[in-house]
Amino acid sequence: WKEIERRNLPIEAMKTGFKRDFNLNDNWYILRVSQGLSRDGTKIGLLVLEYDGISQVIAQNHHEPGYGEIIGDLLWVGDLDNDGKLDLYIDEFNEKGGFGVGLYLSSEADRGKLVKLAAMFGAGGC
């Protein structure tokens, strides 16, 4: 965070209604937050990455109006692994007060997916 503040980098909260389009090498990616239901019917917030007909849930969080509508902060988008595809670096929140910073790389993605969690640092809260 000190480096982010020192360089005055734009940080953006990803919460219900968030939607951003990113153009990388003339390819358009969409990153958005949506709502969904878990298998047991609990409302959840979803961070979804879309490209070329592929839609992948990147992260999820408990969802409740006025609380838990935020997935986390978008820290960086670009091509870190130099494969010409989109990579993400995000700060993820959860309803228990913990947080984790996750690096999602396209070069690590499974077949039919866009990115995969390659590294994470997390800590508990409350």
Side-chain angles (χ1 to χ4, degrees):
W1 282 103
K2 287 181 182 179
E3 180 68 9
I4 290 168
E5 289 175 4
R6 183 183 73 75
R7 295 178 58 201
N8 195 30
L9 297 173
I11 305 301
E12 191 167 5
M14 299 178 297
K15 58 185 177 182
T16 302
F18 172 89
K19 181 179 181 262
R20 297 294 174 269
D21 299 326
F22 299 102
N23 184 346
L24 181 67
N25 299 322
D26 291 325
N27 295 306
W28 285 94
Y29 294 80
I30 298 170
L31 185 65
R32 63 182 175 83
V33 173
S34 185
Q35 295 176 20
L37 297 174
S38 66
R39 289 185 179 153
D40 69 1
T42 305
K43 287 184 181 180
I44 54 176
L46 302 170
L47 179 62
V48 180
L49 180 62
E50 298 174 330
Y51 168 72
D52 197 28
I54 299 171
S55 182
Q56 181 183 349
V57 174
I58 305 301
Q60 67 182 42
N61 196 4
H62 172 80
H63 174 60
E64 185 176 318
Y67 173 81
E69 294 179 350
I70 189 166
I71 298 292
D73 291 328
L74 177 61
L75 301 176
W76 181 87
V77 174
D79 183 14
L80 186 64
D81 54 14
N82 202 29
D83 66 353
K85 299 175 184 174
L86 191 83
D87 302 316
L88 300 166
Y89 187 51
I90 63 176
D91 187 9
E92 298 177 49
F93 304 154
N94 71 37
E95 78 276 12
K96 304 292 185 208
F99 70 93
V101 183
L103 175 63
Y104 293 83
L105 296 178
S106 54
S107 60
E108 298 292 321
D110 295 328
R111 186 180 183 100
K113 301 291 182 180
L114 300 170
V115 295
K116 184 175 184 178
L117 182 63
M120 175 168 249
F121 172 79
C126 292

PDB file of all heavy atoms in Angstrom, residues 8-33:
ATOM      1  N   ASN A   8       0.745   7.277  -6.259  1.00  0.00           N
ATOM      2  CA  ASN A   8      -0.594   7.792  -6.525  1.00  0.00           C
ATOM      3  C   ASN A   8      -1.314   6.965  -7.593  1.00  0.00           C
ATOM      4  O   ASN A   8      -1.911   7.492  -8.527  1.00  0.00           O
ATOM      5  CB  ASN A   8      -0.541   9.275  -6.919  1.00  0.00           C
ATOM      6  CG  ASN A   8      -1.904   9.918  -6.831  1.00  0.00           C
ATOM      7  OD1 ASN A   8      -2.736   9.517  -6.022  1.00  0.00           O
ATOM      8  ND2 ASN A   8      -2.138  10.917  -7.661  1.00  0.00           N
ATOM      9  N   LEU A   9      -1.253   5.637  -7.440  1.00  0.00           N
ATOM     10  CA  LEU A   9      -1.896   4.741  -8.390  1.00  0.00           C
ATOM     11  C   LEU A   9      -3.405   4.681  -8.135  1.00  0.00           C
ATOM     12  O   LEU A   9      -3.839   4.718  -6.995  1.00  0.00           O
ATOM     13  CB  LEU A   9      -1.295   3.341  -8.271  1.00  0.00           C
ATOM     14  CG  LEU A   9       0.184   3.232  -8.622  1.00  0.00           C
ATOM     15  CD1 LEU A   9       0.705   1.842  -8.307  1.00  0.00           C
ATOM     16  CD2 LEU A   9       0.421   3.562 -10.080  1.00  0.00           C
ATOM     17  N   PRO A  10      -4.194   4.579  -9.190  1.00  0.00           N
ATOM     18  CA  PRO A  10      -5.646   4.507  -8.998  1.00  0.00           C
ATOM     19  C   PRO A  10      -6.057   3.139  -8.460  1.00  0.00           C
ATOM     20  O   PRO A  10      -5.747   2.115  -9.055  1.00  0.00           O
ATOM     21  CB  PRO A  10      -6.201   4.739 -10.402  1.00  0.00           C
ATOM     22  CG  PRO A  10      -5.104   4.305 -11.319  1.00  0.00           C
ATOM     23  CD  PRO A  10      -3.810   4.569 -10.594  1.00  0.00           C
ATOM     24  N   ILE A  11      -6.719   3.128  -7.340  1.00  0.00           N
ATOM     25  CA  ILE A  11      -7.246   1.911  -6.744  1.00  0.00           C
ATOM     26  C   ILE A  11      -8.763   2.021  -6.791  1.00  0.00           C
ATOM     27  O   ILE A  11      -9.328   3.064  -6.489  1.00  0.00           O
ATOM     28  CB  ILE A  11      -6.777   1.760  -5.270  1.00  0.00           C
ATOM     29  CG1 ILE A  11      -5.259   1.814  -5.190  1.00  0.00           C
ATOM     30  CG2 ILE A  11      -7.336   0.487  -4.660  1.00  0.00           C
ATOM     31  CD1 ILE A  11      -4.542   0.754  -5.991  1.00  0.00           C
ATOM     32  N   GLU A  12      -9.411   0.936  -7.154  1.00  0.00           N
ATOM     33  CA  GLU A  12     -10.851   1.006  -7.337  1.00  0.00           C
ATOM     34  C   GLU A  12     -11.542  -0.131  -6.597  1.00  0.00           C
ATOM     35  O   GLU A  12     -11.158  -1.290  -6.733  1.00  0.00           O
ATOM     36  CB  GLU A  12     -11.152   0.926  -8.834  1.00  0.00           C
ATOM     37  CG  GLU A  12     -12.555   1.250  -9.177  1.00  0.00           C
ATOM     38  CD  GLU A  12     -12.730   1.470 -10.667  1.00  0.00           C
ATOM     39  OE1 GLU A  12     -11.792   1.284 -11.445  1.00  0.00           O
ATOM     40  OE2 GLU A  12     -13.846   1.828 -11.038  1.00  0.00           O
ATOM     41  N   ALA A  13     -12.558   0.218  -5.804  1.00  0.00           N
ATOM     42  CA  ALA A  13     -13.334  -0.792  -5.086  1.00  0.00           C
ATOM     43  C   ALA A  13     -14.213  -1.557  -6.066  1.00  0.00           C
ATOM     44  O   ALA A  13     -14.870  -0.968  -6.922  1.00  0.00           O
ATOM     45  CB  ALA A  13     -14.190  -0.140  -4.008  1.00  0.00           C
ATOM     46  N   MET A  14     -14.189  -2.881  -5.935  1.00  0.00           N
ATOM     47  CA  MET A  14     -15.026  -3.740  -6.782  1.00  0.00           C
ATOM     48  C   MET A  14     -16.209  -4.192  -5.935  1.00  0.00           C
ATOM     49  O   MET A  14     -16.085  -5.058  -5.081  1.00  0.00           O
ATOM     50  CB  MET A  14     -14.216  -4.947  -7.275  1.00  0.00           C
ATOM     51  CG  MET A  14     -13.020  -4.561  -8.111  1.00  0.00           C
ATOM     52  SD  MET A  14     -12.035  -5.984  -8.642  1.00  0.00           S
ATOM     53  CE  MET A  14     -11.472  -6.646  -7.078  1.00  0.00           C
ATOM     54  N   LYS A  15     -17.348  -3.540  -6.167  1.00  0.00           N
ATOM     55  CA  LYS A  15     -18.557  -3.858  -5.413  1.00  0.00           C
ATOM     56  C   LYS A  15     -19.716  -3.998  -6.390  1.00  0.00           C
ATOM     57  O   LYS A  15     -19.542  -3.800  -7.590  1.00  0.00           O
ATOM     58  CB  LYS A  15     -18.833  -2.784  -4.370  1.00  0.00           C
ATOM     59  CG  LYS A  15     -18.996  -1.394  -4.932  1.00  0.00           C
ATOM     60  CD  LYS A  15     -19.134  -0.378  -3.817  1.00  0.00           C
ATOM     61  CE  LYS A  15     -19.231   1.018  -4.397  1.00  0.00           C
ATOM     62  NZ  LYS A  15     -19.315   2.028  -3.367  1.00  0.00           N
ATOM     63  N   THR A  16     -20.875  -4.344  -5.877  1.00  0.00           N
ATOM     64  CA  THR A  16     -22.046  -4.532  -6.722  1.00  0.00           C
ATOM     65  C   THR A  16     -22.188  -3.356  -7.688  1.00  0.00           C
ATOM     66  O   THR A  16     -22.141  -2.206  -7.284  1.00  0.00           O
ATOM     67  CB  THR A  16     -23.312  -4.664  -5.852  1.00  0.00           C
ATOM     68  OG1 THR A  16     -23.143  -5.774  -4.963  1.00  0.00           O
ATOM     69  CG2 THR A  16     -24.544  -4.889  -6.708  1.00  0.00           C
ATOM     70  N   GLY A  17     -22.315  -3.664  -8.964  1.00  0.00           N
ATOM     71  CA  GLY A  17     -22.428  -2.644 -10.005  1.00  0.00           C
ATOM     72  C   GLY A  17     -21.114  -2.326 -10.703  1.00  0.00           C
ATOM     73  O   GLY A  17     -21.102  -1.688 -11.748  1.00  0.00           O
ATOM     74  N   PHE A  18     -19.985  -2.770 -10.149  1.00  0.00           N
ATOM     75  CA  PHE A  18     -18.675  -2.531 -10.756  1.00  0.00           C
ATOM     76  C   PHE A  18     -18.590  -3.241 -12.104  1.00  0.00           C
ATOM     77  O   PHE A  18     -18.945  -4.410 -12.238  1.00  0.00           O
ATOM     78  CB  PHE A  18     -17.573  -3.059  -9.821  1.00  0.00           C
ATOM     79  CG  PHE A  18     -16.194  -3.039 -10.415  1.00  0.00           C
ATOM     80  CD1 PHE A  18     -15.384  -1.930 -10.282  1.00  0.00           C
ATOM     81  CD2 PHE A  18     -15.700  -4.143 -11.090  1.00  0.00           C
ATOM     82  CE1 PHE A  18     -14.098  -1.916 -10.811  1.00  0.00           C
ATOM     83  CE2 PHE A  18     -14.423  -4.145 -11.631  1.00  0.00           C
ATOM     84  CZ  PHE A  18     -13.621  -3.030 -11.482  1.00  0.00           C
ATOM     85  N   LYS A  19     -18.123  -2.534 -13.131  1.00  0.00           N
ATOM     86  CA  LYS A  19     -17.884  -3.124 -14.446  1.00  0.00           C
ATOM     87  C   LYS A  19     -16.851  -2.277 -15.167  1.00  0.00           C
ATOM     88  O   LYS A  19     -17.021  -1.071 -15.297  1.00  0.00           O
ATOM     89  CB  LYS A  19     -19.163  -3.180 -15.274  1.00  0.00           C
ATOM     90  CG  LYS A  19     -18.948  -3.817 -16.647  1.00  0.00           C
ATOM     91  CD  LYS A  19     -20.253  -3.881 -17.440  1.00  0.00           C
ATOM     92  CE  LYS A  19     -20.024  -4.529 -18.772  1.00  0.00           C
ATOM     93  NZ  LYS A  19     -19.856  -3.582 -19.857  1.00  0.00           N
ATOM     94  N   ARG A  20     -15.777  -2.926 -15.601  1.00  0.00           N
ATOM     95  CA  ARG A  20     -14.730  -2.228 -16.333  1.00  0.00           C
ATOM     96  C   ARG A  20     -14.321  -3.053 -17.543  1.00  0.00           C
ATOM     97  O   ARG A  20     -14.231  -4.274 -17.481  1.00  0.00           O
ATOM     98  CB  ARG A  20     -13.489  -1.992 -15.469  1.00  0.00           C
ATOM     99  CG  ARG A  20     -13.716  -1.116 -14.268  1.00  0.00           C
ATOM    100  CD  ARG A  20     -14.068   0.326 -14.667  1.00  0.00           C
ATOM    101  NE  ARG A  20     -14.428   1.107 -13.504  1.00  0.00           N
ATOM    102  CZ  ARG A  20     -15.650   1.258 -13.006  1.00  0.00           C
ATOM    103  NH1 ARG A  20     -16.667   0.669 -13.573  1.00  0.00           N
ATOM    104  NH2 ARG A  20     -15.863   1.999 -11.952  1.00  0.00           N
ATOM    105  N   ASP A  21     -14.057  -2.353 -18.644  1.00  0.00           N
ATOM    106  CA  ASP A  21     -13.559  -2.975 -19.861  1.00  0.00           C
ATOM    107  C   ASP A  21     -12.072  -2.651 -19.976  1.00  0.00           C
ATOM    108  O   ASP A  21     -11.664  -1.506 -19.752  1.00  0.00           O
ATOM    109  CB  ASP A  21     -14.282  -2.423 -21.087  1.00  0.00           C
ATOM    110  CG  ASP A  21     -15.781  -2.680 -21.052  1.00  0.00           C
ATOM    111  OD1 ASP A  21     -16.176  -3.727 -20.523  1.00  0.00           O
ATOM    112  OD2 ASP A  21     -16.535  -1.843 -21.562  1.00  0.00           O
ATOM    113  N   PHE A  22     -11.276  -3.650 -20.329  1.00  0.00           N
ATOM    114  CA  PHE A  22      -9.842  -3.464 -20.489  1.00  0.00           C
ATOM    115  C   PHE A  22      -9.424  -3.938 -21.870  1.00  0.00           C
ATOM    116  O   PHE A  22      -9.793  -5.024 -22.302  1.00  0.00           O
ATOM    117  CB  PHE A  22      -9.063  -4.260 -19.430  1.00  0.00           C
ATOM    118  CG  PHE A  22      -9.375  -3.852 -18.037  1.00  0.00           C
ATOM    119  CD1 PHE A  22     -10.227  -4.616 -17.259  1.00  0.00           C
ATOM    120  CD2 PHE A  22      -8.838  -2.699 -17.492  1.00  0.00           C
ATOM    121  CE1 PHE A  22     -10.530  -4.240 -15.962  1.00  0.00           C
ATOM    122  CE2 PHE A  22      -9.137  -2.314 -16.201  1.00  0.00           C
ATOM    123  CZ  PHE A  22      -9.984  -3.082 -15.433  1.00  0.00           C
ATOM    124  N   ASN A  23      -8.642  -3.105 -22.573  1.00  0.00           N
ATOM    125  CA  ASN A  23      -8.122  -3.446 -23.883  1.00  0.00           C
ATOM    126  C   ASN A  23      -6.645  -3.786 -23.729  1.00  0.00           C
ATOM    127  O   ASN A  23      -5.845  -2.935 -23.385  1.00  0.00           O
ATOM    128  CB  ASN A  23      -8.303  -2.275 -24.849  1.00  0.00           C
ATOM    129  CG  ASN A  23      -7.852  -2.616 -26.255  1.00  0.00           C
ATOM    130  OD1 ASN A  23      -7.181  -3.603 -26.502  1.00  0.00           O
ATOM    131  ND2 ASN A  23      -8.227  -1.772 -27.191  1.00  0.00           N
ATOM    132  N   LEU A  24      -6.315  -5.043 -23.986  1.00  0.00           N
ATOM    133  CA  LEU A  24      -4.931  -5.489 -23.934  1.00  0.00           C
ATOM    134  C   LEU A  24      -4.601  -6.139 -25.270  1.00  0.00           C
ATOM    135  O   LEU A  24      -5.223  -7.139 -25.645  1.00  0.00           O
ATOM    136  CB  LEU A  24      -4.721  -6.477 -22.784  1.00  0.00           C
ATOM    137  CG  LEU A  24      -3.314  -7.002 -22.597  1.00  0.00           C
ATOM    138  CD1 LEU A  24      -2.379  -5.874 -22.156  1.00  0.00           C
ATOM    139  CD2 LEU A  24      -3.290  -8.117 -21.571  1.00  0.00           C
ATOM    140  N   ASN A  25      -3.674  -5.546 -26.005  1.00  0.00           N
ATOM    141  CA  ASN A  25      -3.280  -6.068 -27.321  1.00  0.00           C
ATOM    142  C   ASN A  25      -4.474  -6.216 -28.261  1.00  0.00           C
ATOM    143  O   ASN A  25      -4.617  -7.232 -28.947  1.00  0.00           O
ATOM    144  CB  ASN A  25      -2.547  -7.408 -27.176  1.00  0.00           C
ATOM    145  CG  ASN A  25      -1.286  -7.283 -26.360  1.00  0.00           C
ATOM    146  OD1 ASN A  25      -0.573  -6.283 -26.465  1.00  0.00           O
ATOM    147  ND2 ASN A  25      -1.017  -8.267 -25.527  1.00  0.00           N
ATOM    148  N   ASP A  26      -5.330  -5.210 -28.275  1.00  0.00           N
ATOM    149  CA  ASP A  26      -6.535  -5.184 -29.105  1.00  0.00           C
ATOM    150  C   ASP A  26      -7.535  -6.282 -28.771  1.00  0.00           C
ATOM    151  O   ASP A  26      -8.367  -6.656 -29.604  1.00  0.00           O
ATOM    152  CB  ASP A  26      -6.189  -5.234 -30.605  1.00  0.00           C
ATOM    153  CG  ASP A  26      -5.518  -3.955 -31.080  1.00  0.00           C
ATOM    154  OD1 ASP A  26      -5.887  -2.881 -30.560  1.00  0.00           O
ATOM    155  OD2 ASP A  26      -4.649  -4.034 -31.955  1.00  0.00           O
ATOM    156  N   ASN A  27      -7.457  -6.825 -27.579  1.00  0.00           N
ATOM    157  CA  ASN A  27      -8.426  -7.792 -27.074  1.00  0.00           C
ATOM    158  C   ASN A  27      -9.147  -7.162 -25.890  1.00  0.00           C
ATOM    159  O   ASN A  27      -8.507  -6.649 -24.976  1.00  0.00           O
ATOM    160  CB  ASN A  27      -7.736  -9.089 -26.629  1.00  0.00           C
ATOM    161  CG  ASN A  27      -7.095  -9.812 -27.786  1.00  0.00           C
ATOM    162  OD1 ASN A  27      -7.745 -10.102 -28.784  1.00  0.00           O
ATOM    163  ND2 ASN A  27      -5.812 -10.085 -27.670  1.00  0.00           N
ATOM    164  N   TRP A  28     -10.468  -7.218 -25.921  1.00  0.00           N
ATOM    165  CA  TRP A  28     -11.269  -6.601 -24.869  1.00  0.00           C
ATOM    166  C   TRP A  28     -11.684  -7.621 -23.821  1.00  0.00           C
ATOM    167  O   TRP A  28     -12.251  -8.653 -24.144  1.00  0.00           O
ATOM    168  CB  TRP A  28     -12.503  -5.931 -25.463  1.00  0.00           C
ATOM    169  CG  TRP A  28     -12.148  -4.655 -26.152  1.00  0.00           C
ATOM    170  CD1 TRP A  28     -11.880  -4.477 -27.472  1.00  0.00           C
ATOM    171  CD2 TRP A  28     -11.982  -3.379 -25.531  1.00  0.00           C
ATOM    172  NE1 TRP A  28     -11.567  -3.169 -27.715  1.00  0.00           N
ATOM    173  CE2 TRP A  28     -11.619  -2.461 -26.540  1.00  0.00           C
ATOM    174  CE3 TRP A  28     -12.098  -2.913 -24.223  1.00  0.00           C
ATOM    175  CZ2 TRP A  28     -11.387  -1.124 -26.287  1.00  0.00           C
ATOM    176  CZ3 TRP A  28     -11.871  -1.582 -23.971  1.00  0.00           C
ATOM    177  CH2 TRP A  28     -11.523  -0.697 -24.992  1.00  0.00           C
ATOM    178  N   TYR A  29     -11.387  -7.290 -22.571  1.00  0.00           N
ATOM    179  CA  TYR A  29     -11.763  -8.096 -21.415  1.00  0.00           C
ATOM    180  C   TYR A  29     -12.765  -7.299 -20.590  1.00  0.00           C
ATOM    181  O   TYR A  29     -12.675  -6.069 -20.518  1.00  0.00           O
ATOM    182  CB  TYR A  29     -10.555  -8.387 -20.532  1.00  0.00           C
ATOM    183  CG  TYR A  29      -9.506  -9.248 -21.179  1.00  0.00           C
ATOM    184  CD1 TYR A  29      -8.583  -8.711 -22.071  1.00  0.00           C
ATOM    185  CD2 TYR A  29      -9.421 -10.605 -20.884  1.00  0.00           C
ATOM    186  CE1 TYR A  29      -7.609  -9.502 -22.655  1.00  0.00           C
ATOM    187  CE2 TYR A  29      -8.446 -11.403 -21.464  1.00  0.00           C
ATOM    188  CZ  TYR A  29      -7.542 -10.837 -22.346  1.00  0.00           C
ATOM    189  OH  TYR A  29      -6.577 -11.626 -22.919  1.00  0.00           O
ATOM    190  N   ILE A  30     -13.696  -7.973 -19.937  1.00  0.00           N
ATOM    191  CA  ILE A  30     -14.645  -7.333 -19.034  1.00  0.00           C
ATOM    192  C   ILE A  30     -14.445  -7.929 -17.648  1.00  0.00           C
ATOM    193  O   ILE A  30     -14.406  -9.145 -17.488  1.00  0.00           O
ATOM    194  CB  ILE A  30     -16.105  -7.564 -19.491  1.00  0.00           C
ATOM    195  CG1 ILE A  30     -16.332  -6.944 -20.868  1.00  0.00           C
ATOM    196  CG2 ILE A  30     -17.087  -6.994 -18.462  1.00  0.00           C
ATOM    197  CD1 ILE A  30     -17.660  -7.320 -21.498  1.00  0.00           C
ATOM    198  N   LEU A  31     -14.314  -7.052 -16.656  1.00  0.00           N
ATOM    199  CA  LEU A  31     -14.245  -7.453 -15.257  1.00  0.00           C
ATOM    200  C   LEU A  31     -15.446  -6.815 -14.571  1.00  0.00           C
ATOM    201  O   LEU A  31     -15.630  -5.600 -14.644  1.00  0.00           O
ATOM    202  CB  LEU A  31     -12.940  -6.977 -14.621  1.00  0.00           C
ATOM    203  CG  LEU A  31     -12.678  -7.430 -13.192  1.00  0.00           C
ATOM    204  CD1 LEU A  31     -12.512  -8.950 -13.118  1.00  0.00           C
ATOM    205  CD2 LEU A  31     -11.431  -6.741 -12.640  1.00  0.00           C
ATOM    206  N   ARG A  32     -16.278  -7.640 -13.931  1.00  0.00           N
ATOM    207  CA  ARG A  32     -17.504  -7.098 -13.338  1.00  0.00           C
ATOM    208  C   ARG A  32     -17.837  -7.834 -12.048  1.00  0.00           C
ATOM    209  O   ARG A  32     -17.398  -8.958 -11.821  1.00  0.00           O
ATOM    210  CB  ARG A  32     -18.673  -7.206 -14.312  1.00  0.00           C
ATOM    211  CG  ARG A  32     -19.034  -8.626 -14.676  1.00  0.00           C
ATOM    212  CD  ARG A  32     -20.166  -8.696 -15.694  1.00  0.00           C
ATOM    213  NE  ARG A  32     -20.424 -10.047 -16.118  1.00  0.00           N
ATOM    214  CZ  ARG A  32     -21.183 -10.921 -15.464  1.00  0.00           C
ATOM    215  NH1 ARG A  32     -21.779 -10.569 -14.342  1.00  0.00           N
ATOM    216  NH2 ARG A  32     -21.362 -12.138 -15.928  1.00  0.00           N
ATOM    217  N   VAL A  33     -18.644  -7.166 -11.223  1.00  0.00           N
ATOM    218  CA  VAL A  33     -19.163  -7.780 -10.001  1.00  0.00           C
ATOM    219  C   VAL A  33     -20.649  -8.004 -10.205  1.00  0.00           C
ATOM    220  O   VAL A  33     -21.377  -7.114 -10.651  1.00  0.00           O
ATOM    221  CB  VAL A  33     -18.913  -6.896  -8.758  1.00  0.00           C
ATOM    222  CG1 VAL A  33     -19.611  -7.466  -7.535  1.00  0.00           C
ATOM    223  CG2 VAL A  33     -17.418  -6.761  -8.505  1.00  0.00           C
TER     224      VAL A  33
END
